[in-house]
Amino acid sequence: MPNRSQSLASNESMRHLDNRSLDLDDDDLMGIPGDLGKSKFMSQSTSETDESASEKRDEVQEIRNRSRKEDRIVRLWRSALLLLILVIGATVSGLTFHFLQEEEHKALNLAYDQFSDALSDAAIRQQQEILEGFRTLATIISDYAATSNQTWPFVDLPKFEAYAEHILKIAGTEAVTYFPIVTKGNQDAYLNYTGNNHERVIKEAHMIENGNLDDLNPVGYKPFFTVGTKDGFVPDIDREVYYPMWQFSPPMFTYGAVNWNAASVPDYADVFEALRTLKSESPISKVRPYVTAGLSLSNEEHAAMHSEIEGSSTAFPHSFVFTPIYLESEDTDSPIVAALASSMGWDFSLQHLLPEGVIGIHAILKNSCGQSFSYEINGPDAFYLGDEDLHQTKYDEYERFVNLALYTHPDFETTQGHCMYSMHLYPDNKFANLYLTPVPLLYTVCIAGSFAFMIAVFFVYNSFVHKRNETLVANAARSNAVITSLFPDNIRNKIIGDESCRKNPRNFHELLDPTSDPLTDLSRPPLADYFATTTVMFADICGFTAWSSVREPSQVFTLLETVYGEFDRLTKHSKVFKVETVGDCYVAATGIPTYRKDHAVLMVKYAHKISRAMTHMTQTLETTLGPDTADLLLRIGIHSGPVTAGVIRGEKARFQLFGDTMNVAARVESKGAAGRIHVSQDTADHLRKCHKGHWLVKREGTIIAKGKGDLQTYWIGKAVQSVKEATGTGSETASVSEKSTSSFEETAPAAFGNHLDDAGNRKDRLVDWNVTVFTDILKQIVARRNAYAAAKKDSNDLSAVDLRVVEDMKKDDLKPLHDVRETIWLPEFDQTVEDSQEDAHTIDIPTSVSTELRDFISTIASLYRSNSFHNFEHASHVTMSVIKLLSRIKAPTDFEMMENENESDDDSFHVKANLHDHTYGITSDPLTQFACAFAALIHDVDHEGVTNAQLVKEGAVVAAKYENRSVAEQNSFVLAWNLFMSDRFATLREHLCATPAEIIRFRELAVNAVMATDIVDKDLKNLRNNRWDKAFKNQGSIEELDNESRESINRKATIVIEHLIQASDVSHTMQHWHVYRKWNERLFHEMHAAYVQGRSDSDPALTWYKGEMGFFDFYIIPLAKKLESCGVFGKSSDEFLNYARSNREEWEIRGEEIVAEMVASLNKRPATNSKK
């Protein structure tokens, strides 16, 4: 192997051509990363743009002048039409508003008449029911006195409370009192009568009302007529006539109100006088405070009664209705011997007068005593607004008078002492708004807006007309720009020169679409030209097929878009014409469409630029696209000669080149070398003519081109001794010819290690990539943990963990092999957690955690030895395979179909849960994924480049430490784990595993995964096989997933993880042939080095061919079949199995030859016996 200085010199020669030897000035280097171009090109481009813009402005002005004359008549008609639209719009809008408003007022009047009539009738009916109810009670009392031969005023009605309570409910009033008329002559006899009977009468009322006497306080009886004062009841004497309170409903709480003289209240005395005058009528008192509250109704009970009505209060207006009791029942001519007085709250009386939904009618209650009170009637409810007339005066015209004074006596109105009540009805804004809506205005606005829109449309139309010529010119300019981007100038000029295209740009597409038979319709000649002197370049990405075979489609296109996008940018600055891209091959030409004498020089300079750009971009992209990306190089072939170029009209027409020059250029490229520019003899002759012969290095030997025989070719730049010439037959194979004796590492495409890069920089890029990978998974862990917290769930089903268990993990004498678990617990599916999880890309990882993660991975990289195979690069390759397999884990087709159906929420939950279980929870748990990647990264730490058996044979310290089993694997794990558990990485550890339970599960996963890479230990192998049979041999149908135990699912997850890491560890055998060849040769070199150093008993060259055959037959292909049979890896399982079989077949054919070539290459290297 070349030493470090030789590698760097070779690398510089191969990847970066000497700028001075190519005579590249600053302008030539414009746009290349790391170089600063000057402003020459930009100034020229700007001046050309200014000239073009000037010409365009002149054309626009000429068309504008011509269109202005044609638009005069249009403008006249436009003005007249706009005026007409304005007149019509104003007229229609005004008429519409007037008509709709009139209709709404009619509807308002009709509705108000209807509901005010209904309210009037209901109010009158309510008053009639009140009067009739108490007249009925008066008749009952009068009849009882007559039938029981009682004389007045010594009459009490048995069960008065029962009768009165019934009447109160019918009339909707609050209380009723029975007042006998007592004269001065029978005063003493009456007082003696009440003294003997008051206790019986009141107790009877309480028993009827309450069934008990709990509310009665039997005190306070006064044996004389009383008058109420602020100091209580006092004697009321020297009256000719008394109206003492006798029976009362609801019953009185004490005896104190018995014998209270109602005539002691002047207002009531006046009503009694009016009652005796009118006889047949029931006069009503003026509104006054409710004086009986506290006698029979407590203040609380009175308030509770009013609370049944929304907004009602005991302080609202009350009146008393007085009803006469005749000596002879219903004989109005007979003397009045007693009276009933019933209290009436007016807000009660105004309830249930209108149906639900009719709101906003003001009822103004007025009486002849000069009082006014305002109410608002909203459906069945009445709300007291306050004293005085508070109706909205703008509705005075709608006043409706309702007479509540229902009388027949001719002297009713002139009799003093009582009040006649009436109600005045008005609508308010609420009622009016039910009918007077904004609809007329809205319709008017809409109509006016429609006409305004029409006017706006005309203005827009006018603006389009006004800009018609500018639009046509702009369209022509845009069409010309499209053609320029698709075709070179000569083809563009032919298209633009077509008469039909000049008249209608849409005919461009028709010109390129041969809808007629080309044998009979020759009116339009083909779009083609002959270019006698051109230079064509083919630039192929070496190793692209193998590189892309181990990556996701998104990563493949990220590379292509980045690289080809930069190439396209450089063509614009280099006066090079891009022809096309075919797969990963970029085709460009110079001398097209404009002849240039220096076309070959331009192309070589361009090739140099894109080669440097490729190097810069692949190194940058390696941190995101993974290992080997920086190894990708361009293999460039250039040939000069004539070409036929044109457009084959039809679907997806494009500009193409044809001719022998294209074939030779492709052959020169395929026979070139990665990272070098390979030119033909014709191109070399052109370079010499331009005095650039010093660029050329004659190639040893010749190449064979089909139809051309042997061709002499040249390299651009100095000869590179460390890179052999590629002799493959295609752009990707680059296989070794039968005559070649060089090693695969020296002749393979760039992806396989022939890109000689500084080892330190390469390791740094691998570290960067690993940091990116692990950071992404760490973000998923944090997002998952946040989802559990948001759902208030515990992500760990483990019982409480003793912290000493975690501390024990830091001991140096741990033996990971003893910690291998048959089943590792993984979290169950939780729909609430799934719904709560945020996008992991939005998670921010603290800088301290990122720093420790990078430090950890860098330290791990430093712990790897400089082996050919078991090194940090291989560990990164295994990590990349793990990540790819994890991304490919999926469920079978029938689950995918279920997802596409229109299932219910319950079905969706069922499907998601089954998907989780079918992948055994691996993809649902980012901590498991981190553990798999972690195991891949550390699994060969400190590997000595020899087998475990050799370490045991040598009696190595590590072999004794780990009891001669899985020596390298246990040693790698313990070194990496102790590093991870050190205080140096405490912040990273706490961010990764928030609880002891998580760190225990993380270690269990990592132990099982790392130990699974020991495929030689028979006990481990038998244990894994037994677990596989137990988990998958008698596997049920997909429908049985619901009934599968958690233990069974976790066992499957455990064995799948182990096989995932096993497959990733040998993934090169199940990937593209070139990937397999690269790592196979490196392993061979490592094993041969061990043999040379005396650390292996046999020469690997003797058994390598058959050993690989057996390795494929007894391990690789069975392992690939297991990946397929477990059913969770989707297309990757088929891909791995197909590659394994293909590589096995190729090895069977070419293996012996390849072994001989590897041995020959080793013989050329200096021998070494030193141990590392």
Side-chain angles (χ1 to χ4, degrees):
M1 292 290 290
N3 60 32
R4 176 180 176 87
S5 60
Q6 290 174 329
S7 299
L8 291 177
S10 300
N11 181 43
E12 190 65 22
S13 298
M14 187 170 74
R15 296 167 59 190
H16 305 297
L17 302 179
D18 184 83
N19 290 343
R20 290 183 295 176
S21 66
L22 291 184
D23 297 338
L24 299 179
D25 57 23
D26 291 337
D27 292 331
D28 293 326
L29 298 179
M30 180 177 293
I32 299 176
D35 294 306
L36 298 176
K38 296 185 177 179
S39 60
K40 175 181 177 182
F41 176 81
M42 295 302 297
S43 300
Q44 181 180 352
S45 175
T46 304
S47 61
E48 292 175 355
T49 303
D50 293 340
E51 292 175 5
S52 176
S54 177
E55 294 175 0
K56 185 174 181 180
R57 286 195 296 269
D58 291 341
E59 294 176 0
V60 170
Q61 185 61 39
E62 182 181 350
I63 297 173
R64 184 182 294 113
N65 293 336
R66 186 179 304 170
S67 62
R68 185 178 294 116
K69 299 176 182 178
E70 300 173 353
D71 287 344
R72 288 177 181 174
I73 297 178
V74 175
R75 288 198 298 270
L76 291 175
W77 279 104
R78 180 199 63 197
S79 300
L81 188 57
L82 288 177
L83 181 60
L84 179 62
I85 291 174
L86 285 172
V87 173
I88 296 176
T91 303
V92 172
S93 299
L95 291 175
T96 299
F97 180 78
H98 177 75
F99 173 77
L100 292 177
Q101 195 176 54
E102 284 296 317
E103 290 298 314
E104 286 192 346
H105 276 90
K106 290 180 181 178
L108 171 63
N109 293 333
L110 180 63
Y112 179 71
D113 288 344
Q114 175 184 351
F115 292 118
S116 61
D117 288 343
L119 195 155
S120 299
D121 295 341
I124 292 173
R125 186 166 56 251
Q126 175 76 357
Q127 290 300 109
Q128 289 174 339
E129 290 176 355
I130 293 173
L131 298 179
E132 292 297 328
F134 291 108
R135 284 172 183 172
T136 300
L137 181 58
T139 299
I140 292 172
I141 295 174
S142 180
D143 288 344
Y144 171 74
T147 57
S148 61
N149 296 319
Q150 294 187 17
T151 58
W152 294 94
F154 312 106
V155 177
D156 61 85
L157 176 65
K159 300 182 180 181
F160 176 83
E161 174 62 27
Y163 290 114
E165 182 178 8
H166 178 69
I167 299 300
L168 288 175
K169 290 181 179 179
I170 294 176
T173 53
E174 297 175 355
V176 61
T177 306
Y178 161 39
F179 295 98
I181 299 176
V182 179
T183 62
K184 198 170 184 177
N186 54 19
Q187 173 181 347
D188 294 337
Y190 179 78
L191 290 173
N192 184 56
Y193 165 74
T194 59
N196 295 331
N197 293 283
H198 71 274
E199 186 174 355
R200 171 184 60 81
V201 170
I202 295 176
K203 286 183 177 180
E204 178 192 56
H206 274 277
M207 293 301 298
I208 294 175
E209 171 71 12
N210 304 316
N212 55 62
L213 302 177
D214 295 345
D215 294 336
L216 176 62
N217 185 13
V219 296
Y221 175 74
K222 303 294 189 298
F224 47 81
F225 295 127
T226 62
V227 58
T229 67
K230 63 180 180 178
D231 297 323
F233 292 107
V234 297
D236 186 14
I237 57 178
D238 296 330
R239 292 184 184 273
E240 295 295 327
V241 178
Y242 295 91
Y243 296 88
M245 180 183 292
W246 180 219
Q247 288 183 285
F248 195 98
S249 178
M252 292 177 284
F253 302 127
T254 67
Y255 302 147
V258 175
N259 294 332
W260 171 72
N261 181 24
S264 64
V265 179
D267 290 343
Y268 294 161
D270 293 341
V271 178
F272 279 124
E273 288 302 318
L275 178 70
R276 298 180 65 177
T277 302
L278 299 174
K279 294 189 68 176
S280 62
E281 305 296 340
S282 296
I284 303 176
S285 71
K286 67 189 298 185
V287 172
R288 59 170 288 115
Y290 183 57
V291 297
T292 59
L295 299 179
S296 61
L297 283 174
S298 67
N299 292 330
E300 291 77 9
E301 288 180 320
H302 193 202
M305 181 181 295
H306 278 271
S307 68
E308 296 177 2
I309 301 176
E310 182 181 358
S312 182
S313 170
T314 58
F316 291 172
H318 288 74
S319 296
F320 282 84
V321 179
F322 292 83
T323 304
I325 301 176
Y326 303 104
L327 180 64
E328 300 292 336
S329 176
E330 298 185 2
D331 184 2
T332 58
D333 293 331
S334 65
I336 296 176
V337 294
L340 294 174
S342 59
S343 65
M344 176 178 63
W346 282 102
D347 49 356
F348 276 88
S349 299
L350 298 179
Q351 297 290 317
H352 306 294
L353 301 183
L354 286 178
E356 191 74 45
V358 182
I359 61 174
I361 293 183
H362 282 187
I364 310 304
L365 184 67
K366 296 183 178 182
N367 59 36
S368 58
C369 299
Q371 296 175 307
S372 297
F373 309 95
S374 296
Y375 293 85
E376 182 177 315
I377 311 297
N378 289 331
D381 301 319
F383 299 94
Y384 178 64
L385 300 180
D387 295 350
E388 307 298 333
D389 185 347
L390 301 178
H391 83 278
Q392 297 170 354
T393 57
K394 63 180 179 180
Y395 297 111
D396 284 349
E397 60 179 303
Y398 292 92
E399 181 184 13
R400 176 65 56 86
F401 175 79
V402 181
N403 186 12
L404 300 180
L406 307 178
Y407 61 90
T408 58
H409 196 284
D411 297 329
F412 188 84
E413 296 182 10
T414 59
T415 301
Q416 300 296 316
H418 71 102
C419 301
M420 295 180 293
Y421 284 82
S422 63
M423 192 162 55
H424 302 258
L425 304 179
Y426 305 91
D428 71 354
N429 289 334
K430 293 180 182 178
F431 184 86
N433 289 340
L434 295 175
Y435 303 94
L436 302 181
T437 67
V439 170
L441 181 60
L442 290 177
Y443 272 73
T444 302
V445 170
C446 288
I447 293 174
S450 299
F451 281 93
F453 177 74
M454 293 172 62
I455 295 173
V457 168
F458 273 100
F459 275 110
V460 172
Y461 170 76
N462 177 67
S463 67
F464 282 122
V465 172
H466 180 69
K467 298 178 181 179
R468 175 177 53 195
N469 294 331
E470 288 84 348
T471 303
L472 291 174
V473 171
N475 287 339
R478 284 195 294 269
S479 298
N480 184 61
V482 171
I483 296 174
T484 300
S485 66
L486 293 176
F487 310 107
D489 292 342
N490 62 318
I491 298 298
R492 180 197 61 194
N493 294 335
K494 286 187 177 182
I495 295 175
I496 296 177
D498 187 274
E499 183 66 22
S500 62
C501 292
R502 284 203 305 269
K503 294 180 178 179
N504 185 1
R506 295 179 181 176
N507 291 336
F508 288 143
H509 299 289
E510 298 177 6
L511 182 65
L512 298 177
D513 183 14
T515 55
S516 59
D517 187 351
L519 297 179
T520 58
D521 184 6
L522 301 178
S523 59
R524 288 178 175 173
L527 301 175
D529 269 323
Y530 177 77
F531 297 89
T533 306
T534 65
T535 297
V536 177
M537 179 201 73
F538 279 70
D540 186 74
I541 302 177
C542 287
F544 175 79
T545 301
W547 179 90
S548 63
S549 68
V550 296
R551 282 166 173 80
E552 294 297 309
S554 60
Q555 294 177 310
V556 174
F557 272 79
T558 297
L559 174 75
L560 292 177
E561 289 178 350
T562 303
V563 170
Y564 288 162
E566 180 64 14
F567 290 0
D568 291 345
R569 189 183 70 85
L570 291 175
T571 60
K572 299 177 181 178
H573 296 295
S574 303
K575 302 176 183 178
V576 174
F577 181 77
K578 174 187 177 182
V579 179
E580 60 185 343
T581 56
V582 181
D584 61 319
C585 186
Y586 193 90
V587 184
T590 53
I592 295 177
T594 303
Y595 168 77
R596 289 187 64 99
K597 184 178 180 180
D598 59 346
H599 54 87
V601 175
L602 285 178
M603 184 53 75
V604 171
K605 288 183 177 182
Y606 175 73
H608 173 64
K609 290 179 182 180
I610 64 174
S611 179
R612 294 183 63 185
M614 180 72 179
T615 299
H616 174 81
M617 287 184 289
T618 53
Q619 289 181 353
T620 303
L621 290 172
E622 188 169 48
T623 60
T624 56
L625 301 184
D628 300 334
T629 302
D631 291 337
L632 296 176
L633 294 175
L634 288 180
R635 182 174 60 226
I636 300 174
I638 300 175
H639 176 61
S640 301
V643 296
T644 298
V647 179
I648 299 178
R649 291 173 291 189
E651 290 293 329
K652 300 180 181 178
R654 58 191 175 91
F655 184 73
Q656 294 176 283
L657 305 184
F658 299 92
D660 188 57
T661 300
M662 298 293 290
N663 298 330
V664 175
R667 181 62 58 184
V668 171
E669 177 272 316
S670 66
K671 297 295 184 178
R676 302 206 68 179
I677 302 173
H678 194 206
V679 302
S680 67
Q681 180 68 57
D682 292 320
T683 301
D685 292 341
H686 280 285
L687 291 174
R688 291 190 180 99
K689 291 179 181 179
C690 295
H691 309 291
K692 303 298 181 182
H694 58 283
W695 288 359
L696 302 170
V697 177
K698 186 175 182 179
R699 178 172 180 167
E700 296 180 3
T702 59
I703 66 171
I704 300 175
K706 184 178 180 180
K708 293 291 185 178
D710 294 338
L711 298 177
Q712 178 62 58
T713 57
Y714 297 82
W715 302 111
I716 297 295
K718 298 178 181 179
V720 181
Q721 297 177 355
S722 64
V723 180
K724 302 297 182 181
E725 299 171 6
T727 56
T729 58
S731 64
E732 277 296 345
T733 58
S735 59
V736 181
S737 67
E738 295 181 359
K739 298 180 181 180
S740 174
T741 59
S742 62
S743 73
F744 182 79
E745 285 280 356
E746 294 173 338
T747 60
F752 315 131
N754 63 344
H755 185 178
L756 301 177
D757 189 14
D758 177 73
N761 291 338
R762 182 177 185 80
K763 181 179 287 188
D764 289 342
R765 292 197 299 274
L766 290 175
V767 169
D768 290 342
W769 176 80
N770 278 285
V771 169
T772 300
V773 168
F774 281 93
T775 299
D776 289 342
I777 307 178
L778 191 57
K779 289 181 177 181
Q780 297 176 35
I781 292 174
V782 175
R784 193 71 173 181
R785 189 177 297 143
N786 293 344
Y788 274 104
K792 298 182 179 179
K793 299 291 183 71
D794 185 4
S795 60
N796 301 292
D797 286 351
L798 298 177
S799 58
V801 178
D802 192 338
L803 292 178
R804 289 176 296 178
V805 176
V806 178
E807 290 299 321
D808 288 342
M809 295 179 181
K810 302 179 182 180
K811 295 182 179 179
D812 293 334
D813 59 348
L814 294 177
K815 296 180 176 57
L817 188 61
H818 297 170
D819 296 333
V820 174
R821 299 284 184 266
E822 178 176 348
T823 301
I824 300 175
W825 172 86
L826 268 69
E828 294 188 52
F829 176 80
D830 192 308
Q831 182 66 46
T832 307
V833 174
E834 290 293 326
D835 295 339
S836 302
Q837 183 149 343
E838 58 188 314
D839 185 0
H841 293 94
T842 63
I843 300 295
D844 291 327
I845 301 299
T847 303
S848 58
V849 176
S850 299
T851 302
E852 288 191 9
L853 177 61
R854 177 175 294 278
D855 187 17
F856 177 78
I857 294 175
S858 298
T859 306
I860 289 293
S862 67
L863 292 176
Y864 274 89
R865 303 195 183 198
S866 300
N867 300 317
S868 296
F869 183 85
H870 293 95
N871 53 32
F872 183 63
E873 182 182 355
H874 180 256
S876 298
H877 182 268
V878 175
T879 303
M880 183 168 62
S881 298
V882 167
I883 297 301
K884 179 177 180 180
L885 281 174
L886 286 172
S887 69
R888 293 288 182 88
I889 290 181
K890 56 185 286 295
T893 305
D894 57 342
F895 280 115
E896 292 176 357
M897 294 171 61
M898 290 176 66
E899 281 188 308
N900 293 330
E901 296 175 357
N902 295 323
E903 71 273 0
S904 65
D905 291 341
D906 292 340
D907 292 337
S908 176
F909 168 81
H910 178 77
V911 170
K912 290 180 179 178
N914 278 347
L915 286 172
H916 168 90
D917 288 343
H918 192 79
T919 59
Y920 316 125
I922 296 174
T923 56
S924 302
D925 181 34
L927 185 62
T928 299
Q929 300 172 42
F930 194 98
C932 292
F934 179 85
L937 182 70
I938 70 169
H939 78 287
D940 280 333
V941 163
D942 196 40
H943 197 288
E944 296 188 27
V946 296
T947 63
N948 285 333
Q950 182 64 31
L951 292 174
V952 173
K953 180 181 177 181
E954 294 174 355
V957 175
V958 291
K961 179 179 180 179
Y962 298 114
E963 301 172 347
N964 296 331
R965 294 187 60 193
S966 302
V967 178
E969 290 77 14
Q970 293 196 76
N971 182 57
S972 296
F973 181 84
V974 171
L975 287 175
W977 185 257
N978 287 342
L979 177 68
F980 177 70
M981 293 298 292
S982 66
D983 294 340
R984 179 179 167 189
F985 302 108
T987 304
L988 170 63
R989 191 168 59 251
E990 292 170 1
H991 209 72
L992 174 65
C993 302
T995 65
E998 286 185 350
I999 199 167
I1000 289 175
R1001 183 160 64 86
F1002 174 67
R1003 185 178 187 277
E1004 290 176 347
L1005 289 164
V1007 166
N1008 273 44
V1010 173
M1011 293 302 103
T1013 60
D1014 184 0
I1015 62 176
V1016 178
D1017 188 286
K1018 293 182 179 180
D1019 293 338
L1020 281 176
K1021 181 178 179 181
N1022 292 333
L1023 177 62
R1024 282 192 295 269
N1025 290 338
N1026 291 336
R1027 278 191 292 164
W1028 177 272
D1029 292 341
K1030 191 175 182 180
F1032 292 104
K1033 191 169 184 178
N1034 298 318
Q1035 183 173 236
S1037 63
I1038 295 171
E1039 289 76 8
E1040 295 175 358
L1041 283 173
D1042 282 339
N1043 301 321
E1044 194 167 14
S1045 67
R1046 291 302 309 168
E1047 182 180 2
S1048 174
I1049 292 174
N1050 288 332
R1051 180 184 296 109
K1052 290 181 178 181
T1054 304
I1055 196 66
V1056 166
I1057 290 170
E1058 292 177 347
H1059 282 72
L1060 179 148
I1061 197 71
Q1062 284 182 327
S1064 298
D1065 193 26
V1066 293
S1067 59
H1068 63 279
T1069 63
M1070 295 179 280
Q1071 292 171 348
H1072 192 275
W1073 168 255
H1074 289 148
V1075 180
Y1076 166 66
R1077 282 284 291 110
K1078 167 189 173 179
W1079 292 108
N1080 177 262
E1081 182 171 359
R1082 289 189 176 187
L1083 182 58
F1084 177 82
H1085 287 171
E1086 185 175 302
M1087 298 298 289
H1088 187 272
Y1091 171 71
V1092 171
Q1093 296 169 12
R1095 304 191 71 184
S1096 176
D1097 293 336
S1098 60
D1099 185 353
L1102 302 176
T1103 59
W1104 198 259
Y1105 172 72
K1106 291 184 178 180
E1108 285 295 294
M1109 293 289 293
F1111 192 52
F1112 273 113
D1113 291 338
F1114 298 108
Y1115 182 71
I1116 298 301
I1117 292 178
L1119 177 60
K1121 289 181 177 179
K1122 282 187 175 181
L1123 294 181
E1124 184 179 38
S1125 62
C1126 71
V1128 298
F1129 290 104
K1131 296 179 181 179
S1132 286
S1133 57
D1134 295 334
E1135 177 185 329
F1136 274 28
L1137 182 58
N1138 291 337
Y1139 270 128
R1141 288 171 171 167
S1142 174
N1143 290 339
R1144 195 263 184 212
E1145 294 173 0
E1146 187 76 9
W1147 180 260
E1148 184 177 14
I1149 297 171
R1150 301 180 52 197
E1152 293 178 328
E1153 175 189 355
I1154 291 172
V1155 172
E1157 291 174 355
M1158 291 192 297
V1159 172
S1161 69
L1162 287 173
N1163 292 334
K1164 296 179 181 180
R1165 298 182 178 183
T1168 177
N1169 293 319
S1170 63
K1171 293 183 180 181
K1172 296 183 179 180

